[in-house]
Amino acid sequence: MKTLLCGVALLAAVTAPAAAETRYDRNLEKAVLDIIAGKMGNIRGGFSYKQVPQLVVLPDAGPVAPTPVEPPRQEASGNDGLMPAVERQVSRTIF
């Protein structure tokens, strides 16, 4: 019985710090936001919540010149001593 009580007490002592919440400091959050905003500078977006972004419309591109088509190449005659590639069968056995 003593072992069970000691085990429960030890478990409670170990889990108590993990369950404790850290305090939230709003002043610290504001200071961090000010520091980060100063470092970011002008790379931040400039839209307010009330402003609707205006989309940029690109002018129509002129007609594209057709690319020349290559004539079909002749196939190898087979006299070069090479064998055609053949896929081998794969075993589907799973151990």
Side-chain angles (χ1 to χ4, degrees):
M1 188 67 180
K2 287 183 181 181
T3 307
L4 179 64
L5 290 176
C6 288
V8 170
L10 180 65
L11 183 65
V14 170
T15 58
E21 294 185 22
T22 57
R23 296 185 325 201
Y24 189 75
D25 190 3
R26 298 208 185 271
N27 292 332
L28 180 62
E29 179 186 14
K30 289 178 185 177
V32 168
L33 288 177
D34 290 339
I35 291 170
I36 291 177
K39 289 183 178 182
M40 286 180 66
N42 293 332
I43 64 171
R44 294 180 289 153
F47 296 117
S48 69
Y49 292 110
K50 296 177 185 178
Q51 182 181 0
V52 178
Q54 297 174 355
L55 301 177
V56 177
V57 180
L58 297 176
D60 293 335
V64 179
T67 57
V69 179
E70 294 182 13
R73 298 181 181 178
Q74 293 181 349
E75 294 184 11
S77 63
N79 294 335
D80 54 2
L82 298 176
M83 297 284 295
V86 179
E87 291 188 25
R88 61 186 177 114
Q89 295 292 329
V90 179
S91 174
R92 300 286 180 191
T93 305
I94 299 174
F95 296 101

